[in-house]
């Protein structure tokens, strides 16, 4: 199941993100802001507990989420660019890391660092990767999370290719995918067209 989060604020920011003249500082700010806006939508289903609160005038009934029950998993390295934007709304969430790079020949993900906190039956897991291209890294990250007991999983991806969406939905039909745009497709190097280039390189100015 996927949902396109096409709020005007997001589409405006995404357009600046795509612009090749946008430098790393602004790129990082925009990815972080878009991640915050996506989080607002991605966490709409979270369970609420009733909570009694004392206003200056009287006692009233309110609500609270249990953000200690949330695990955010950025796929390294580009997913790191979204992490602070998510944590801004759920500061008590735990963070796990799924470090993988794409083998330039096979285009398949190779894991080099994986560290997760505990997953319980009701833990809500949010996997972050700004680009859903072939879908292979996302599938691998979801496999790893499920292998450690993660059950309720949402993937947040800023820009997706139809090919990647199809792969993830086929392998993991239970995972919710939120994206801001579904682009035309992949080129021969598995980059998204029109896309925004290499998100990791643009975040960290490595090219
Ligand atoms: N990863 C990126 O950073 N960009 C793409 O277009 C595809 C994968």
């Amino acid at each position: 199941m996927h949902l396109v989060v096409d709020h005007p604020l997001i589409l405006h920011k995404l357009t600046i993100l795509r612009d090749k003249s946008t430098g790393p500082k602004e790129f990082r700010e925009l990815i972080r802001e878009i991640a915050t806006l996506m989080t607002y939508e991605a966490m709409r289903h979270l369970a609420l507990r009733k909570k009694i609160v004392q206003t200056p005038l009287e006692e009233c009934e309110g609500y609270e989420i249990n953000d200690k029950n949330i695990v955010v998993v950025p796929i390294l390295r580009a997913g790191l660019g979204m992490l602070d934007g998510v944590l801004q709304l759920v500061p008590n969430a735990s963070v796990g890391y799924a470090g993988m790079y794409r083998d330039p020949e096979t285009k398949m993900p190779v894991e080099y660092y994986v560290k997760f906190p505990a997953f319980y039956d009701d833990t809500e897991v949010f996997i972050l990767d700004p680009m859903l291209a072939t879908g292979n890294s996302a599938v691998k990250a979801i496999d790893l999370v499920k292998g450690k007991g993660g059950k309720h999983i949402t993937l947040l991806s800023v820009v997706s290719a139809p090919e990647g969406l199809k792969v993830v939905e086929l392998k993991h039909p239970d995972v919710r995918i939120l994206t801001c745009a579904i682009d035309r497709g992949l080129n021969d190097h598995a980059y998204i067209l029109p896309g925004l280039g290499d998100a990791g390189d643009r975040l960290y100015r490595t090219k």
Side-chain angles (χ1 to χ4, degrees):
M1 196 277 286
H2 67 263
L3 176 71
V4 179
V5 194
D6 53 0
H7 190 286
L9 284 171
I10 292 186
L11 296 187
H12 174 85
K13 289 175 192 295
L14 175 58
T15 304
I16 308 171
L17 206 58
R18 287 188 193 275
D19 189 331
K20 69 176 186 184
S21 67
T22 299
K25 178 175 186 285
E26 200 181 357
F27 194 91
R28 283 193 294 272
E29 286 166 1
L30 288 162
I31 284 268
R32 198 184 59 231
E33 288 167 3
I34 289 173
T36 304
L37 294 167
M38 291 181 82
T39 301
Y40 177 79
E41 194 57 46
M43 298 195 177
R44 191 178 278 283
H45 67 291
L46 289 188
L48 287 169
R49 288 189 302 221
K50 286 208 168 128
K51 181 191 163 115
I52 302 299
V53 65
Q54 189 74 47
T55 79
L57 300 174
E58 62 178 37
E59 199 178 88
C60 85
E61 205 175 69
Y63 302 95
E64 66 180 0
I65 57 164
N66 180 10
D67 63 352
K68 294 193 176 120
N69 196 29
I70 292 172
V71 176
V72 189
V73 179
I75 299 180
L76 306 185
R77 71 187 158 139
L80 277 180
M82 299 173 73
L83 179 61
D84 283 349
V86 177
L87 291 179
Q88 190 164 346
L89 294 185
V90 284
N92 295 307
S94 302
V95 179
Y97 293 94
M100 53 189 88
Y101 65 89
R102 187 164 59 173
D103 185 299
E105 303 275 294
T106 64
K107 310 278 188 289
M108 293 305 285
V110 182
E111 69 186 80
Y112 62 89
Y113 181 74
V114 176
K115 189 156 179 73
F116 294 149
F119 296 118
Y120 302 99
D121 279 354
D122 58 349
T123 300
E124 290 284 345
V125 186
F126 296 87
I127 298 177
L128 313 180
D129 191 348
M131 309 303 281
L132 177 56
T134 62
N136 294 331
S137 303
V139 165
K140 178 100 179 175
I142 296 165
D143 286 343
L144 291 166
V145 166
K146 285 187 175 175
K148 290 282 180 190
K151 290 189 170 60
H152 310 282
I153 302 172
T154 304
L155 172 68
L156 270 62
S157 163
V158 177
V159 179
S160 297
E163 296 92 324
L165 270 178
K166 206 165 143 192
V167 166
V168 178
E169 288 183 326
L170 221 91
K171 291 259 171 71
H172 293 291
D174 56 310
V175 170
R176 300 161 64 230
I177 305 170
L178 266 71
T179 189
C180 307
I182 303 174
D183 277 10
R184 192 167 77 246
L186 299 176
N187 71 9
D188 293 343
H189 303 284
Y191 278 95
I192 299 175
L193 296 173
L196 47 76
D198 188 302
D201 284 340
R202 294 196 63 189
L203 279 164
Y204 304 116
R205 214 179 64 76
T206 39
K207 257 188 199 133

